[in-house]
Amino acid sequence: MRKISISIAVLAWVVTAVFFLKNNYGKENTIAGAFQTTDYSYMCAKIVGYGTYNVTMNAEAREQFIRSIASGLGIASLYIITETEDTLICEKISDNGKLVLEMIETDGISHLGVKLDLNDNINFAETYEQLVRDIFEAEGIEGNVNLYFEGHIKGALNYEERCRVADEMLEALDAHTVTESRDNSAFTIYAYTDRISRYVKSIGKKININITASYDENKNVTVIYLATPLNNLDY
């Protein structure tokens, strides 16, 4: 069985990155900064990763692996672990956010899900996204990691207001539109910027920015998403 551990290089990167952000981080020239060109009544960030790898683990190895992932994300204690025969879930909830790590084994294949919600300082979201990507790479996990910024604006924005919010974010990112549907019922923009190295391809075109806007009648707010590379959430 392959030894399950988070590499020293990844942990060293965590320490370096957090130190750098605490002392030097600014809002300009970042995805978070582009998102905050608009004032919101509420905002948060989400990192969602999902991957698979051909490693079969017993219960003890699964728990060790999940604890290593949590540690790599800066969560050393005070989390809850629940386990069934083939599923293990680690959950940590605090005032600043929520982390859920889920590991499922089916037919000799391990599936890992990482969901991290940041309710406090969304300026650290890009750091945590990179941490998840580094962990996937260090452990040979094949999958995808998406970063989402969600903001609420009170009331139902009209067409011109939605366009203004989206265009300000695109301008801040130096992004050009690849394809779009600027309709009140389905407001979605797919774009590309050189400021973000990762991207996906659709019909031969690079995409790494996805902006959506929708109206939530129950809360009477317009919900804005800025995602990279794509928004795979329900909105």
Side-chain angles (χ1 to χ4, degrees):
M1 180 181 295
R2 181 170 69 90
K3 183 179 180 181
I4 306 302
S5 64
I6 297 300
S7 70
I8 295 176
V10 172
L11 294 180
W13 189 93
V14 174
V15 175
T16 302
V18 172
F19 176 82
F20 174 81
L21 286 178
K22 284 184 176 180
N23 291 278
N24 300 287
Y25 191 83
K27 292 168 63 174
E28 61 275 12
N29 300 324
T30 66
I31 307 172
F35 179 71
Q36 294 174 85
T37 54
T38 295
D39 291 328
Y40 303 96
S41 59
Y42 166 83
M43 60 182 178
C44 66
K46 307 173 187 288
I47 297 95
V48 180
Y50 175 80
T52 62
Y53 49 107
N54 297 320
V55 177
T56 302
M57 304 181 200
N58 58 30
E60 182 180 355
R62 280 200 299 266
E63 183 170 339
Q64 178 189 353
F65 181 65
I66 286 294
R67 288 183 184 276
S68 295
I69 296 288
S71 178
L73 292 172
I75 308 298
S77 61
L78 300 179
Y79 46 75
I80 299 172
I81 291 182
T82 56
E83 186 174 11
T84 62
E85 183 177 351
D86 57 4
T87 302
L88 188 148
I89 298 174
C90 173
E91 187 174 54
K92 165 78 172 185
I93 301 175
S94 70
D95 293 338
N96 296 327
K98 178 179 180 181
L99 170 66
V100 177
L101 303 173
E102 183 174 20
M103 189 172 181
I104 303 173
E105 289 213 8
T106 57
D107 300 325
I109 299 177
S110 298
H111 305 264
L112 175 67
V114 179
K115 298 178 182 178
L116 177 61
D117 295 340
L118 299 176
N119 299 329
D120 188 12
N121 191 348
I122 69 169
N123 289 330
F124 284 94
E126 291 161 78
T127 298
Y128 280 108
E129 180 210 15
Q130 188 61 54
L131 288 180
V132 175
R133 289 182 180 278
D134 285 347
I135 289 170
F136 273 38
E137 182 178 357
E139 295 300 328
I141 301 170
E142 297 183 2
N144 300 299
V145 179
N146 292 326
L147 170 61
Y148 306 89
F149 292 95
E150 176 186 345
H152 296 179
I153 302 174
K154 292 181 179 180
L157 298 189
N158 59 34
Y159 174 80
E160 288 76 13
E161 290 169 328
R162 294 187 185 199
C163 286
R164 177 187 57 77
V165 171
D167 289 338
E168 286 180 352
M169 287 191 285
L170 291 173
E171 182 179 0
L173 288 166
D174 285 336
H176 67 266
T177 299
V178 176
T179 184
E180 63 183 9
S181 174
R182 298 200 180 204
D183 186 279
N184 276 337
S185 59
F187 191 100
T188 304
I189 299 171
Y190 298 94
Y192 175 78
T193 175
D194 290 330
R195 291 189 178 181
I196 303 173
S197 59
R198 60 197 174 277
Y199 59 84
V200 297
K201 274 194 171 183
S202 178
I203 318 178
K205 296 181 178 180
K206 296 178 181 179
I207 295 173
N208 57 11
I209 291 293
N210 190 186
I211 298 172
T212 63
S214 60
Y215 177 62
D216 186 331
E217 292 184 357
N218 295 325
K219 296 180 179 179
N220 186 31
V221 296
T222 299
V223 182
I224 306 294
Y225 274 110
L226 170 59
T228 180
L230 293 174
N231 188 344
N232 293 324
L233 301 176
D234 293 330
Y235 59 88

